[in-house]
mmCIF file of all heavy atoms in Angstrom:
data_model
loop_
_atom_site.group_PDB
_atom_site.id
_atom_site.type_symbol
_atom_site.label_atom_id
_atom_site.label_comp_id
_atom_site.label_asym_id
_atom_site.label_seq_id
_atom_site.Cartn_x
_atom_site.Cartn_y
_atom_site.Cartn_z
ATOM 1 N N TYR A 1 70.266 104.094 89.152
ATOM 2 C CA TYR A 1 71.539 104.676 88.789
ATOM 3 C C TYR A 1 71.794 105.995 89.555
ATOM 4 O O TYR A 1 70.914 106.806 89.752
ATOM 5 C CB TYR A 1 71.550 105.055 87.315
ATOM 6 C CG TYR A 1 71.324 103.881 86.390
ATOM 7 C CD1 TYR A 1 70.169 103.683 85.751
ATOM 8 C CD2 TYR A 1 72.382 102.996 86.152
ATOM 9 C CE1 TYR A 1 69.996 102.606 84.829
ATOM 10 C CE2 TYR A 1 72.202 101.934 85.305
ATOM 11 C CZ TYR A 1 71.012 101.725 84.664
ATOM 12 O OH TYR A 1 70.833 100.693 83.785
ATOM 13 N N LEU A 2 73.058 106.125 89.964
ATOM 14 C CA LEU A 2 73.578 107.410 90.562
ATOM 15 C C LEU A 2 74.420 108.071 89.442
ATOM 16 O O LEU A 2 75.426 107.429 89.047
ATOM 17 C CB LEU A 2 74.343 107.146 91.793
ATOM 18 C CG LEU A 2 73.705 106.351 92.955
ATOM 19 C CD1 LEU A 2 74.664 106.213 94.143
ATOM 20 C CD2 LEU A 2 72.367 106.968 93.395
ATOM 21 N N GLY A 3 74.034 109.255 89.059
ATOM 22 C CA GLY A 3 74.853 109.956 88.092
ATOM 23 C C GLY A 3 75.733 110.952 88.711
ATOM 24 O O GLY A 3 75.354 111.726 89.560
ATOM 25 N N TYR A 4 77.060 110.870 88.365
ATOM 26 C CA TYR A 4 78.032 111.837 88.956
ATOM 27 C C TYR A 4 78.707 112.689 87.848
ATOM 28 O O TYR A 4 79.307 112.090 86.920
ATOM 29 C CB TYR A 4 79.074 111.078 89.722
ATOM 30 C CG TYR A 4 80.099 111.982 90.390
ATOM 31 C CD1 TYR A 4 79.751 112.854 91.387
ATOM 32 C CD2 TYR A 4 81.407 111.976 89.956
ATOM 33 C CE1 TYR A 4 80.692 113.724 92.026
ATOM 34 C CE2 TYR A 4 82.355 112.801 90.575
ATOM 35 C CZ TYR A 4 81.978 113.640 91.576
ATOM 36 O OH TYR A 4 82.882 114.541 92.150
ATOM 37 N N PRO A 5 78.589 114.011 87.904
ATOM 38 C CA PRO A 5 79.199 114.848 86.890
ATOM 39 C C PRO A 5 80.709 114.989 87.221
ATOM 40 O O PRO A 5 81.064 115.668 88.225
ATOM 41 C CB PRO A 5 78.490 116.175 87.071
ATOM 42 C CG PRO A 5 77.924 116.200 88.459
ATOM 43 C CD PRO A 5 77.726 114.734 88.901
ATOM 44 N N PHE A 6 81.550 114.399 86.386
ATOM 45 C CA PHE A 6 82.953 114.424 86.651
ATOM 46 C C PHE A 6 83.635 115.182 85.478
ATOM 47 O O PHE A 6 83.644 114.753 84.322
ATOM 48 C CB PHE A 6 83.605 113.059 86.704
ATOM 49 C CG PHE A 6 85.037 113.035 87.001
ATOM 50 C CD1 PHE A 6 85.488 112.941 88.328
ATOM 51 C CD2 PHE A 6 85.951 113.088 85.989
ATOM 52 C CE1 PHE A 6 86.839 112.935 88.628
ATOM 53 C CE2 PHE A 6 87.319 113.062 86.276
ATOM 54 C CZ PHE A 6 87.810 113.020 87.597
ATOM 55 N N SER A 7 84.063 116.431 85.755
ATOM 56 C CA SER A 7 84.596 117.237 84.681
ATOM 57 C C SER A 7 86.072 117.134 84.509
ATOM 58 O O SER A 7 86.834 117.073 85.468
ATOM 59 C CB SER A 7 84.244 118.708 84.864
ATOM 60 O OG SER A 7 84.684 119.492 83.778
ATOM 61 N N ILE A 8 86.516 117.096 83.226
ATOM 62 C CA ILE A 8 87.972 117.092 82.968
ATOM 63 C C ILE A 8 88.483 118.526 82.861
ATOM 64 O O ILE A 8 89.674 118.754 82.525
ATOM 65 C CB ILE A 8 88.393 116.237 81.773
ATOM 66 C CG1 ILE A 8 87.608 116.743 80.527
ATOM 67 C CG2 ILE A 8 87.958 114.788 82.003
ATOM 68 C CD1 ILE A 8 88.071 115.968 79.279
ATOM 69 N N SER A 9 87.593 119.455 83.076
ATOM 70 C CA SER A 9 87.958 120.912 83.176
ATOM 71 C C SER A 9 87.965 121.281 84.647
ATOM 72 O O SER A 9 86.951 121.233 85.324
ATOM 73 C CB SER A 9 86.923 121.748 82.422
ATOM 74 O OG SER A 9 86.909 123.090 82.863
ATOM 75 N N GLU A 10 89.133 121.695 85.127
ATOM 76 C CA GLU A 10 89.270 122.087 86.563
ATOM 77 C C GLU A 10 88.331 123.244 86.892
ATOM 78 O O GLU A 10 87.670 123.310 87.911
ATOM 79 C CB GLU A 10 90.737 122.518 86.842
ATOM 80 C CG GLU A 10 91.046 122.677 88.297
ATOM 81 C CD GLU A 10 91.315 121.381 89.065
ATOM 82 O OE1 GLU A 10 92.299 120.740 88.709
ATOM 83 O OE2 GLU A 10 90.502 121.022 89.914
ATOM 84 N N ASN A 11 88.294 124.233 85.979
ATOM 85 C CA ASN A 11 87.434 125.374 86.224
ATOM 86 C C ASN A 11 85.943 124.971 86.316
ATOM 87 O O ASN A 11 85.222 125.413 87.268
ATOM 88 C CB ASN A 11 87.548 126.362 85.061
ATOM 89 C CG ASN A 11 88.695 127.377 85.310
ATOM 90 O OD1 ASN A 11 88.685 128.166 86.201
ATOM 91 N ND2 ASN A 11 89.740 127.298 84.447
ATOM 92 N N PHE A 12 85.537 124.078 85.450
ATOM 93 C CA PHE A 12 84.124 123.733 85.457
ATOM 94 C C PHE A 12 83.798 122.819 86.638
ATOM 95 O O PHE A 12 82.705 122.927 87.199
ATOM 96 C CB PHE A 12 83.718 123.047 84.130
ATOM 97 C CG PHE A 12 82.211 122.769 84.101
ATOM 98 C CD1 PHE A 12 81.317 123.821 83.996
ATOM 99 C CD2 PHE A 12 81.731 121.460 84.126
ATOM 100 C CE1 PHE A 12 79.983 123.572 83.941
ATOM 101 C CE2 PHE A 12 80.358 121.224 84.030
ATOM 102 C CZ PHE A 12 79.489 122.299 83.984
ATOM 103 N N GLN A 13 84.703 121.967 87.089
ATOM 104 C CA GLN A 13 84.459 121.097 88.220
ATOM 105 C C GLN A 13 84.299 122.013 89.452
ATOM 106 O O GLN A 13 83.375 121.715 90.303
ATOM 107 C CB GLN A 13 85.598 120.122 88.384
ATOM 108 C CG GLN A 13 85.253 118.980 89.399
ATOM 109 C CD GLN A 13 84.165 118.046 88.912
ATOM 110 O OE1 GLN A 13 83.862 118.027 87.737
ATOM 111 N NE2 GLN A 13 83.607 117.289 89.797
ATOM 112 N N MET A 14 85.101 123.008 89.595
ATOM 113 C CA MET A 14 84.951 123.964 90.730
ATOM 114 C C MET A 14 83.626 124.652 90.659
ATOM 115 O O MET A 14 82.937 124.840 91.661
ATOM 116 C CB MET A 14 86.135 124.910 90.721
ATOM 117 C CG MET A 14 87.440 124.388 91.180
ATOM 118 S SD MET A 14 87.435 123.797 92.944
ATOM 119 C CE MET A 14 87.183 125.389 93.760
ATOM 120 N N ARG A 15 83.249 125.138 89.440
ATOM 121 C CA ARG A 15 82.071 125.832 89.266
ATOM 122 C C ARG A 15 80.819 124.945 89.539
ATOM 123 O O ARG A 15 79.850 125.422 90.045
ATOM 124 C CB ARG A 15 82.059 126.331 87.812
ATOM 125 C CG ARG A 15 80.999 127.353 87.391
ATOM 126 C CD ARG A 15 81.207 127.750 85.989
ATOM 127 N NE ARG A 15 80.151 128.597 85.523
ATOM 128 C CZ ARG A 15 80.314 129.803 84.941
ATOM 129 N NH1 ARG A 15 81.488 130.310 84.806
ATOM 130 N NH2 ARG A 15 79.274 130.483 84.523
ATOM 131 N N ASN A 16 80.926 123.729 89.110
ATOM 132 C CA ASN A 16 79.765 122.808 89.178
ATOM 133 C C ASN A 16 79.612 122.175 90.576
ATOM 134 O O ASN A 16 78.460 122.035 91.080
ATOM 135 C CB ASN A 16 79.912 121.747 88.121
ATOM 136 C CG ASN A 16 78.596 121.073 87.767
ATOM 137 O OD1 ASN A 16 77.555 121.656 87.927
ATOM 138 N ND2 ASN A 16 78.637 119.793 87.393
ATOM 139 N N THR A 17 80.706 121.735 91.188
ATOM 140 C CA THR A 17 80.590 121.011 92.466
ATOM 141 C C THR A 17 81.431 121.603 93.583
ATOM 142 O O THR A 17 81.495 121.104 94.705
ATOM 143 C CB THR A 17 81.055 119.517 92.229
ATOM 144 O OG1 THR A 17 82.441 119.500 91.923
ATOM 145 C CG2 THR A 17 80.232 118.859 91.167
ATOM 146 N N HIS A 18 82.154 122.721 93.295
ATOM 147 C CA HIS A 18 83.037 123.390 94.272
ATOM 148 C C HIS A 18 84.142 122.426 94.766
ATOM 149 O O HIS A 18 84.528 122.530 95.927
ATOM 150 C CB HIS A 18 82.215 123.947 95.438
ATOM 151 C CG HIS A 18 81.119 124.874 95.019
ATOM 152 N ND1 HIS A 18 81.315 126.111 94.439
ATOM 153 C CD2 HIS A 18 79.755 124.689 95.083
ATOM 154 C CE1 HIS A 18 80.159 126.668 94.175
ATOM 155 N NE2 HIS A 18 79.193 125.874 94.549
ATOM 156 N N LYS A 19 84.575 121.582 93.947
ATOM 157 C CA LYS A 19 85.658 120.624 94.262
ATOM 158 C C LYS A 19 86.676 120.649 93.145
ATOM 159 O O LYS A 19 86.317 120.868 91.957
ATOM 160 C CB LYS A 19 85.120 119.208 94.460
ATOM 161 C CG LYS A 19 84.192 119.104 95.640
ATOM 162 C CD LYS A 19 84.918 119.221 96.954
ATOM 163 C CE LYS A 19 84.042 118.951 98.155
ATOM 164 N NZ LYS A 19 82.934 119.874 98.367
ATOM 165 N N THR A 20 87.931 120.374 93.489
ATOM 166 C CA THR A 20 88.938 120.202 92.479
ATOM 167 C C THR A 20 88.736 118.841 91.792
ATOM 168 O O THR A 20 88.039 117.968 92.349
ATOM 169 C CB THR A 20 90.353 120.310 93.042
ATOM 170 O OG1 THR A 20 90.567 119.208 93.947
ATOM 171 C CG2 THR A 20 90.614 121.562 93.767
ATOM 172 N N ILE A 21 89.438 118.621 90.697
ATOM 173 C CA ILE A 21 89.433 117.300 90.060
ATOM 174 C C ILE A 21 89.980 116.240 90.996
ATOM 175 O O ILE A 21 89.394 115.159 91.140
ATOM 176 C CB ILE A 21 90.220 117.284 88.696
ATOM 177 C CG1 ILE A 21 89.391 118.160 87.703
ATOM 178 C CG2 ILE A 21 90.404 115.892 88.203
ATOM 179 C CD1 ILE A 21 90.080 118.252 86.329
ATOM 180 N N ALA A 22 91.097 116.552 91.698
ATOM 181 C CA ALA A 22 91.676 115.596 92.619
ATOM 182 C C ALA A 22 90.723 115.219 93.716
ATOM 183 O O ALA A 22 90.506 114.054 94.128
ATOM 184 C CB ALA A 22 92.951 116.170 93.234
ATOM 185 N N GLN A 23 89.982 116.195 94.268
ATOM 186 C CA GLN A 23 88.992 115.929 95.271
ATOM 187 C C GLN A 23 87.825 115.095 94.694
ATOM 188 O O GLN A 23 87.261 114.211 95.355
ATOM 189 C CB GLN A 23 88.418 117.258 95.858
ATOM 190 C CG GLN A 23 89.414 118.015 96.701
ATOM 191 C CD GLN A 23 88.888 119.387 97.114
ATOM 192 O OE1 GLN A 23 88.280 120.086 96.276
ATOM 193 N NE2 GLN A 23 89.157 119.827 98.328
ATOM 194 N N SER A 24 87.476 115.419 93.452
ATOM 195 C CA SER A 24 86.369 114.723 92.823
ATOM 196 C C SER A 24 86.627 113.228 92.616
ATOM 197 O O SER A 24 85.719 112.384 92.616
ATOM 198 C CB SER A 24 85.984 115.402 91.516
ATOM 199 O OG SER A 24 85.602 116.745 91.779
ATOM 200 N N VAL A 25 87.894 112.901 92.322
ATOM 201 C CA VAL A 25 88.270 111.481 92.213
ATOM 202 C C VAL A 25 87.957 110.736 93.492
ATOM 203 O O VAL A 25 87.443 109.661 93.467
ATOM 204 C CB VAL A 25 89.765 111.348 91.803
ATOM 205 C CG1 VAL A 25 90.216 109.918 91.876
ATOM 206 C CG2 VAL A 25 90.038 111.921 90.439
ATOM 207 N N LEU A 26 88.306 111.334 94.621
ATOM 208 C CA LEU A 26 88.023 110.714 95.921
ATOM 209 C C LEU A 26 86.572 110.626 96.201
ATOM 210 O O LEU A 26 86.069 109.545 96.694
ATOM 211 C CB LEU A 26 88.688 111.532 97.033
ATOM 212 C CG LEU A 26 90.203 111.652 96.971
ATOM 213 C CD1 LEU A 26 90.720 112.552 98.118
ATOM 214 C CD2 LEU A 26 90.892 110.281 97.046
ATOM 215 N N ILE A 27 85.774 111.643 95.798
ATOM 216 C CA ILE A 27 84.303 111.570 95.965
ATOM 217 C C ILE A 27 83.728 110.464 95.125
ATOM 218 O O ILE A 27 82.832 109.702 95.588
ATOM 219 C CB ILE A 27 83.736 112.980 95.632
ATOM 220 C CG1 ILE A 27 84.174 114.009 96.686
ATOM 221 C CG2 ILE A 27 82.183 112.859 95.567
ATOM 222 C CD1 ILE A 27 83.776 115.393 96.305
ATOM 223 N N LEU A 28 84.208 110.389 93.893
ATOM 224 C CA LEU A 28 83.649 109.358 93.003
ATOM 225 C C LEU A 28 83.905 107.990 93.587
ATOM 226 O O LEU A 28 83.112 107.068 93.469
ATOM 227 C CB LEU A 28 84.258 109.529 91.594
ATOM 228 C CG LEU A 28 83.909 108.420 90.543
ATOM 229 C CD1 LEU A 28 82.458 108.340 90.400
ATOM 230 C CD2 LEU A 28 84.631 108.707 89.243
ATOM 231 N N ASP A 29 85.143 107.759 94.110
ATOM 232 C CA ASP A 29 85.473 106.463 94.736
ATOM 233 C C ASP A 29 84.462 106.132 95.828
ATOM 234 O O ASP A 29 83.971 104.987 95.957
ATOM 235 C CB ASP A 29 86.861 106.491 95.198
ATOM 236 C CG ASP A 29 87.349 105.122 95.602
ATOM 237 O OD1 ASP A 29 87.248 104.180 94.763
ATOM 238 O OD2 ASP A 29 87.900 104.973 96.723
ATOM 239 N N ASP A 30 84.124 107.157 96.657
ATOM 240 C CA ASP A 30 83.220 106.918 97.732
ATOM 241 C C ASP A 30 81.746 106.653 97.187
ATOM 242 O O ASP A 30 81.086 105.776 97.695
ATOM 243 C CB ASP A 30 83.098 108.162 98.660
ATOM 244 C CG ASP A 30 84.289 108.277 99.553
ATOM 245 O OD1 ASP A 30 84.965 107.286 99.791
ATOM 246 O OD2 ASP A 30 84.565 109.452 100.105
ATOM 247 N N ILE A 31 81.431 107.345 96.119
ATOM 248 C CA ILE A 31 80.097 107.118 95.529
ATOM 249 C C ILE A 31 80.010 105.688 94.924
ATOM 250 O O ILE A 31 78.962 105.039 95.096
ATOM 251 C CB ILE A 31 79.841 108.158 94.422
ATOM 252 C CG1 ILE A 31 79.566 109.543 95.102
ATOM 253 C CG2 ILE A 31 78.572 107.810 93.608
ATOM 254 C CD1 ILE A 31 79.475 110.691 94.158
ATOM 255 N N LEU A 32 81.092 105.219 94.387
ATOM 256 C CA LEU A 32 81.080 103.881 93.833
ATOM 257 C C LEU A 32 80.890 102.841 94.921
ATOM 258 O O LEU A 32 80.183 101.863 94.781
ATOM 259 C CB LEU A 32 82.429 103.627 93.085
ATOM 260 C CG LEU A 32 82.585 104.229 91.695
ATOM 261 C CD1 LEU A 32 84.069 104.294 91.268
ATOM 262 C CD2 LEU A 32 81.725 103.490 90.683
ATOM 263 N N ASN A 33 81.517 103.092 96.065
ATOM 264 C CA ASN A 33 81.335 102.175 97.204
ATOM 265 C C ASN A 33 79.941 102.243 97.721
ATOM 266 O O ASN A 33 79.339 101.139 98.027
ATOM 267 C CB ASN A 33 82.333 102.534 98.317
ATOM 268 C CG ASN A 33 83.781 102.246 97.960
ATOM 269 O OD1 ASN A 33 84.054 101.227 97.237
ATOM 270 N ND2 ASN A 33 84.687 103.029 98.455
ATOM 271 N N ILE A 34 79.345 103.378 97.797
ATOM 272 C CA ILE A 34 77.982 103.521 98.308
ATOM 273 C C ILE A 34 77.008 102.856 97.312
ATOM 274 O O ILE A 34 76.126 102.158 97.728
ATOM 275 C CB ILE A 34 77.583 105.053 98.407
ATOM 276 C CG1 ILE A 34 78.375 105.678 99.589
ATOM 277 C CG2 ILE A 34 76.078 105.229 98.684
ATOM 278 C CD1 ILE A 34 78.339 107.209 99.590
ATOM 279 N N ALA A 35 77.269 103.009 96.022
ATOM 280 C CA ALA A 35 76.445 102.372 95.007
ATOM 281 C C ALA A 35 76.490 100.840 95.068
ATOM 282 O O ALA A 35 75.468 100.181 94.992
ATOM 283 C CB ALA A 35 76.819 102.835 93.626
ATOM 284 N N THR A 36 77.725 100.348 95.285
ATOM 285 C CA THR A 36 77.857 98.895 95.424
ATOM 286 C C THR A 36 77.049 98.337 96.579
ATOM 287 O O THR A 36 76.358 97.262 96.490
ATOM 288 C CB THR A 36 79.340 98.538 95.574
ATOM 289 O OG1 THR A 36 80.050 98.975 94.409
ATOM 290 C CG2 THR A 36 79.522 96.986 95.714
ATOM 291 N N LYS A 37 77.132 99.028 97.751
ATOM 292 C CA LYS A 37 76.451 98.537 98.903
ATOM 293 C C LYS A 37 74.927 98.619 98.801
ATOM 294 O O LYS A 37 74.182 97.863 99.378
ATOM 295 C CB LYS A 37 76.881 99.388 100.133
ATOM 296 C CG LYS A 37 78.357 99.115 100.574
ATOM 297 C CD LYS A 37 78.761 100.071 101.685
ATOM 298 C CE LYS A 37 80.233 99.889 101.986
ATOM 299 N NZ LYS A 37 80.676 100.921 103.047
ATOM 300 N N SER A 38 74.452 99.573 97.981
ATOM 301 C CA SER A 38 72.984 99.711 97.803
ATOM 302 C C SER A 38 72.473 99.194 96.520
ATOM 303 O O SER A 38 71.320 99.424 96.116
ATOM 304 C CB SER A 38 72.614 101.171 97.916
ATOM 305 O OG SER A 38 73.316 101.947 96.919
ATOM 306 N N ASN A 39 73.284 98.383 95.825
ATOM 307 C CA ASN A 39 72.887 97.650 94.644
ATOM 308 C C ASN A 39 72.467 98.629 93.536
ATOM 309 O O ASN A 39 71.444 98.447 92.865
ATOM 310 C CB ASN A 39 71.736 96.683 94.979
ATOM 311 C CG ASN A 39 71.534 95.641 93.851
ATOM 312 O OD1 ASN A 39 72.504 95.200 93.181
ATOM 313 N ND2 ASN A 39 70.301 95.202 93.643
ATOM 314 N N LYS A 40 73.303 99.623 93.347
ATOM 315 C CA LYS A 40 73.043 100.566 92.216
ATOM 316 C C LYS A 40 74.248 100.741 91.363
ATOM 317 O O LYS A 40 75.360 100.252 91.738
ATOM 318 C CB LYS A 40 72.690 101.977 92.854
ATOM 319 C CG LYS A 40 71.488 101.910 93.749
ATOM 320 C CD LYS A 40 70.980 103.263 94.178
ATOM 321 C CE LYS A 40 69.935 103.196 95.233
ATOM 322 N NZ LYS A 40 68.830 102.268 94.916
#
């Protein structure tokens, strides 16, 4: 499993991953693709 912290608090997402929620949606989409290719 790959665990991804996705916050619905804009402040906390910036604090935790230095990304906005909008940027994090794109990152999560990429992580889902990587996980699919690696059978995770």
Side-chain angles (χ1 to χ4, degrees):
Y1 299 104
L2 305 180
Y4 180 66
F6 184 91
S7 182
I8 58 176
S9 156
E10 190 82 66
N11 272 295
F12 186 66
Q13 192 66 17
M14 286 294 296
R15 189 177 174 128
N16 200 28
T17 65
H18 304 293
K19 295 290 186 293
T20 65
I21 289 178
Q23 290 171 321
S24 299
V25 170
L26 299 176
I27 291 170
L28 176 57
D29 192 50
D30 285 340
I31 291 171
L32 284 163
N33 290 328
I34 292 167
T36 299
K37 291 175 184 175
S38 57
N39 196 32
K40 303 190 188 309

